[in-house]
Amino acid sequence: MDRMMTAGTTSAVATGSAAMPDEVTSVGFMLVENFSMIAFSSAIEPLRLANRAARRDLYRYSLWSENGTRCTASNGVEVQVAGSFSEAQGLDPALDMAIVCGGIDIQRCDHRALQATLRRTCIRGGAIGAVCTGTYVLAKAGLLDGYRATIHWENQASLACEHDGLEIGSDLFEIDRNRFTCAGGTAAADMMLSLIVRDHGADIAADVADQLIHHRIRESGERQRMDLRMRLGVAHPKLLHVVGLMEKTFAEPLGSQELAESVHLSKRQLERLFLKYLGRSPAKHYLRIRLEHARHLIRQTAMPLLSIAIECGFTSASHFSKSYVDHFGRPPSSERKV
């Protein structure tokens, strides 16, 4: 393809060995409509900078989409591509690495052409990766069976519901043999830097990180979400403990007495603590956590609303619907209207 750009390798990732000195890895970025621009940029830029650091081409990269001409990111920016997914499937030599770049509403797209290309890439010995919600496409294609994987924290529950046999974690990224996935955002840079370390050594990866003003390459097992203390803007240890407990038990909510006893407080003391720091009662905060989780499931899965209600700790569809309207100002069914 005449629009192929300089970039990186898959054979080394597939085998787990360092790339040979003169090898160039060909990487195809598979852009899905409404892909995350920050995740895509964080994945492709380390490859460009690796070439610059090595003063030769370590990676060659190209962009592909469903229609073969362009693809629009979730921020509205259009990106020109080299060709369609089907054309990428027929490349000779084959891509060493195919990376699916996902974003919002990925479950609403028809991914059959992309899945065929990914399967073909695997058959021909290539490695397969994903950033942000691209993991969803790999899972639908059956390419993550027997592999560890991760996805953006908003999509973990919905992916687990649809593919309960998959080993889906909450790490920043996962590199498992010739499969690699990440949560998206800037985590894509950490994943690519780790692959560069594997393929070409720590020195080149460190040079790339410096160019990115990326102070350190984060470990794969680091948490995705901001620390609870930062998210809430409070530091009270007992409050943080109770909120953390709430986030783990939304499917089977604990009683106020049990929550209070977990931090050796009375129900009244716990109530005052929540009102002082969060401006709402423990019950209202708990309900908010459950409803926000429900909204993720409604938007990202085809689960019946009653199943979602039960999954989020509601005993009836009517109670769930009323609570949803009170909190979001719209019924849960409206979330699925196009």
Side-chain angles (χ1 to χ4, degrees), residues 8 54 56 113 126 129 137 141 144 149 181 190 196 209 250 265 269 273 276 282 314:
R56 66 181 182 86
V137 180
L144 291 178
T181 53
D190 297 285
I196 290 169
F250 57 84
L265 294 176
Q269 288 174 320
L273 196 61
K276 177 180 178 180
F314 294 90

Side-chain angles (χ1 to χ4, degrees), residues 307-338:
S307 298
I308 291 174
I310 294 170
E311 171 74 17
C312 296
F314 294 90
T315 56
S316 70
S318 58
H319 180 214
F320 171 58
S321 183
K322 182 181 184 305
S323 300
Y324 200 96
V325 172
D326 290 345
H327 186 72
F328 293 114
R330 56 193 297 181
S333 57
S334 67
E335 302 285 7
R336 286 180 171 165
K337 291 179 180 177
V338 179

Side-chain angles (χ1 to χ4, degrees), residues 146-165:
Y147 292 86
R148 298 188 312 276
T150 191
I151 195 170
H152 190 279
W153 63 266
E154 276 192 345
N155 303 83
Q156 286 169 13
S158 59
L159 186 64
C161 285
E162 291 194 29
H163 303 275
D164 57 7

Side-chain angles (χ1 to χ4, degrees), residues 128-144:
I128 302 295
V131 298
C132 197
T133 59
T135 304
Y136 177 89
V137 180
L138 271 60
K140 292 286 283 186
L143 296 173
L144 291 178

